[in-house]
Amino acid sequence: MCPKEEKQQQTKCSKGAYVFHIPAGTWRQHFSSLLFSADIVATAMEISLLGFLSTVAIVFPSLNVNSSMTLLEVAIYMWVLSLLRRLYMSYLEAVYCSFPQYRTQPVKEHALKEAKDIVGRDKEQLDTIIQHDRLTLISQFGLDVFIYFSVPGYYPSAQVSYPPMYQRVLQVILNHYVMSFGMYWMHRALHKNPYMWKNIHSFHHWAKHPLSRTTYQDHWLDNFGNAIVGHFFAQVLVPLDHDFFWFSRCFRVCESLEKHSGVSCWFNVVHMSQRWLPYAQMPHHHDWHHEGHKGCNYTFTSIGGLWDCIFGTRKTGRHPAVAETSRDRVHIDKTTSKFSSLMDHPVFCFLPILGLSILVVLKSFMTLNS
């Protein structure tokens, strides 16, 4: 239950896809659609699309692609990730309500206004987000199906034998750093390019104090670009085997939800498990990024935090002592360099993404000709 003084701040619950108060222990309030908007239309679309794909996979097994998972397993994979998002988001939002002492922003800063939703968005912004939730659902589903049929082996099939475990573990770590490199520069470019910020990424930053439900609430092109530059590029350049592909995607879902959870503590299971990585980050780093709004040109990295430290965009923000990392304790925030300043240019900031794209094309060409 939320504390008594917090209940006094709550406004009446609006009818529709969003609540305008902090849920007080009602578990069903924590569940919603694939993109956490509680939009019945989006939920119906999701069930229809995944149900259709599952049916096609069962009726037409000849559609299976060589060296890839069966189409039915891909459908199961989509169902599993959908359920995982719901369940883990529910868990994190229950933690948020039940343990205000672990919140990344003080309780007093969550005084809710009548015209705002729980994370600080007005009605017009909410209506826009609902539409982009639906577009994201359709575009992500289409992208996943397109990749399955056009890139054999992208969804790797199970093997009889695998390399030594240490090699597989190193590969998944390298894959995650390649993925976070692409997402770092895409994220940074969306902030540094005025057009991209205004028309695409600012939608996500309408949430000033995000909760897990806001994780994928972006402009649909924002989600689409991240899916390509992050997961797709990483799997092409550093392919994971069947088992670690499943592990990686589930890990990433939980990591993303935790990053937007509004709490930073030992309840963040995935972030706690990666604190041993160099320059590890916790959810309070990304929360501070959201608080800054247009001044949030820092802490762009997903997973680890290495790229923020290398490229001079690390900021710790405020945080509960229980969630401190070694970098927090020495209070290293932002360092500047000529290279970092150069890459703040609205055009030059896309160069690393261009370089990564060229590597993907070359790797794909070599694979086709081998």
Side-chain angles (χ1 to χ4, degrees), residues 108-170:
K108 61 183 175 62
E109 297 199 12
H110 285 264
L112 303 172
K113 299 178 182 179
E114 190 72 32
K116 302 283 187 178
D117 80 333
I118 190 172
V119 298
R121 298 171 297 193
D122 61 35
K123 183 64 169 61
E124 183 179 353
Q125 291 171 339
L126 295 178
D127 290 340
T128 300
I129 286 295
I130 290 173
Q131 297 306 314
H132 282 279
D133 278 357
R134 297 171 183 175
L135 290 172
T136 294
L137 175 63
I138 296 171
S139 60
Q140 293 286 302
F141 177 82
L143 178 64
D144 287 340
V145 173
F146 174 79
I147 289 175
Y148 176 76
F149 288 108
S150 61
V151 186
Y154 177 85
Y155 294 94
S157 59
Q159 301 175 19
V160 176
S161 61
Y162 292 99
M165 182 57 69
Y166 76 88
Q167 182 176 330
R168 299 170 71 194
V169 171
L170 289 175

Side-chain angles (χ1 to χ4, degrees), residues 39-58:
D39 178 21
I40 295 176
V41 174
T43 301
M45 289 168 56
E46 174 195 8
I47 293 173
S48 299
L49 289 171
L50 296 186
F52 173 76
L53 183 64
S54 302
T55 302
V56 169
I58 293 171

Side-chain angles (χ1 to χ4, degrees), residues 12 28 34 76 82 91 113 124 126 164 195 216 220 225 262 285 293 296 302 310 320 323:
K12 294 181 180 179
R28 65 183 179 84
L34 176 65
I76 293 172
S82 175
Y91 158 73
K113 299 178 182 179
E124 183 179 353
L126 295 178
Y195 179 86
Y216 302 102
W220 74 271
H285 296 97
H293 198 44
C296 53
S302 62
I310 290 178

Side-chain angles (χ1 to χ4, degrees), residues 251-271:
F251 184 91
R252 270 287 296 146
V253 166
C254 295
E255 187 268 342
S256 296
L257 293 175
E258 285 187 2
K259 189 165 58 180
H260 294 85
S261 65
V263 292
S264 193
C265 62
W266 57 273
F267 280 111
N268 304 112
V269 179
V270 170
H271 277 84

Side-chain angles (χ1 to χ4, degrees), residues 154 156 167-179 230-241 244-245 248-249 356 359-360 363:
Y154 177 85
Q167 182 176 330
R168 299 170 71 194
V169 171
L170 289 175
Q171 193 155 3
V172 77
I173 292 173
L174 180 59
N175 174 281
H176 283 183
Y177 273 115
V178 171
M179 178 194 65
H231 292 118
F232 178 75
F233 280 10
Q235 181 64 8
V236 171
L237 293 174
V238 188
L240 300 176
D241 61 53
F244 274 95
F245 180 91
S248 173
R249 294 308 174 88
L356 206 59
L359 288 177
V360 169
K363 174 72 182 298

Side-chain angles (χ1 to χ4, degrees), residues 301-312:
T301 305
S302 62
I303 296 185
L306 177 65
W307 304 120
D308 278 305
C309 290
I310 290 178
F311 298 117

